[in-house]
């Protein structure tokens, strides 16, 4: 997928985390589970897919992402103590390498997720799975934007057709019933404007309809 950075930024500016919706002139709108199913083909019901991992696997993951492993890593479940994160990653060394900087950033984000954003009942532990999520949701589109950018872009093109590439530019130009619908946009090229971000902002400010 060719990401449209200007479109994504214009949407992010209208996102309200308090309500998990985009605020537009005609009201609020958000991506629904139906959108996820229709655009991606992913199932939203049925049994969850889970994988059991051994002590050694979680230790290896911890070492790869953080550069060190706590002595009391809860093997088999991949849980670390928040106090360990804060003790071990409280001071970034001078002239730290890019790898070390990334390890400290992961540890900081992990402690925030476990201690502030999504604390469990203990309030003192956090699962390494959160760090895996941080590592796999990054995008080169915007340095500090994480998440499934493709879904957001496909959703915007479906809901606001005048923002989307022309169908003749898509791989599935003759397949309106492509399943999942996101396949229609995989090779689409974003439209090019002089100041794309400014143009998108104008369109969103004046928008009064949605599909």
């Amino acid at each position: 997928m060719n990401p449209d950075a200007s479109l994504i930024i214009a949407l992010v500016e209208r996102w309200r985390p308090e309500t998990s919706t985009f605020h537009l002139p005609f009201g609020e709108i958000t991506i629904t589970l139906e959108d996820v199913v229709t655009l991606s083909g992913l199932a939203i019901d049925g049994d969850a897919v889970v994988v059991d991992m051994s002590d050694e696997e979680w230790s290896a993951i911890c070492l790869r992402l953080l550069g060190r492993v706590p002595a009391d890593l809860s093997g088999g479940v991949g849980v670390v103590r928040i106090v360990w994160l804060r003790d071990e990653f409280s001071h970034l060394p001078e002239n730290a390498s890019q790898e070390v900087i990334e390890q400290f950033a992961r540890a900081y984000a992990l402690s925030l997720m476990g201690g502030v954003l999504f604390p469990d009942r203990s309030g003192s532990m956090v699962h390494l799975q959160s760090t895996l999520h941080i590592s796999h949701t990054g995008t080169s589109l915007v340095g500090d934007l994480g998440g499934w950018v493709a879904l957001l872009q496909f959703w915007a093109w479906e809901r606001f057709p005048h923002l989307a590439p022309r169908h003749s530019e898509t791989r599935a130009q003759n397949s309106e019933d492509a399943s999942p619908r996101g396949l229609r946009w995989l090779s689409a090229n974003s439209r090019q404007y002089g100041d794309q971000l400014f143009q998108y902002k104008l369109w969103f400010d004046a928008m009064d309809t949605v599909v």
Side-chain angles (χ1 to χ4, degrees):
M1 186 200 77
N2 298 312
D4 186 337
S6 297
L7 173 59
I8 300 302
I9 292 172
L11 279 168
V12 169
E13 288 181 351
R14 291 183 170 274
W15 177 258
R16 299 303 303 172
E18 299 87 351
T19 57
S20 296
T21 56
F22 296 100
H23 282 219
L24 295 168
F26 56 79
E28 300 176 35
I29 189 172
T30 194
I31 300 175
T32 66
L33 285 177
E34 183 181 17
D35 293 321
V36 174
V37 172
T38 304
L39 291 171
S40 72
L42 294 177
I44 60 170
D45 56 6
D47 295 332
V49 178
V50 296
V51 178
D52 291 329
M53 300 179 70
S54 67
D55 298 6
E56 293 76 15
E57 288 174 308
W58 279 121
S59 295
I61 289 174
C62 188
L63 182 63
R64 174 169 58 86
L65 296 177
L66 300 178
R68 61 197 76 178
V69 181
D72 60 348
L73 175 69
S74 297
V77 292
V79 173
V80 298
R81 295 184 182 278
I82 295 175
V83 66
W84 175 81
L85 291 170
R86 293 174 179 169
D87 289 344
E88 291 289 319
F89 298 92
S90 58
H91 300 289
L92 182 67
E94 293 185 12
N95 302 318
S97 66
Q98 183 62 33
E99 181 182 13
V100 171
I101 292 173
E102 291 176 359
Q103 290 169 352
F104 269 70
R106 293 190 190 107
Y108 177 70
L110 194 59
S111 65
L112 280 182
M113 295 181 78
V116 179
L117 299 177
F118 309 108
D120 61 12
R121 291 183 178 180
S122 72
S124 62
M125 311 287 283
V126 63
H127 202 291
L128 285 171
Q129 186 66 41
S130 300
T131 311
L132 288 174
H133 178 72
I134 294 169
S135 300
H136 289 295
T137 58
T139 171
S140 59
L141 175 62
V142 184
D144 46 353
L145 174 64
W148 198 2
V149 174
L151 176 66
L152 178 57
Q153 184 162 311
F154 294 165
W155 172 82
W157 285 349
E158 290 280 341
R159 297 301 184 190
F160 314 113
H162 64 287
L163 304 181
R166 298 180 182 86
H167 284 292
S168 59
E169 298 171 350
T170 67
R171 183 178 68 178
Q173 55 183 295
N174 298 319
S175 182
E176 285 294 320
D177 58 348
S179 181
R181 284 185 65 86
L183 291 174
R184 302 168 61 226
W185 304 109
L186 280 183
S187 60
N189 294 315
S190 302
R191 295 189 177 191
Q192 300 296 317
Y193 308 97
D195 186 338
Q196 295 189 142
L197 180 57
F198 179 71
Q199 184 62 62
Y200 280 128
K201 289 181 177 181
L202 289 180
W203 280 339
F204 281 124
D205 286 341
M207 193 171 291
D208 59 1
T209 59
V210 60
V211 174

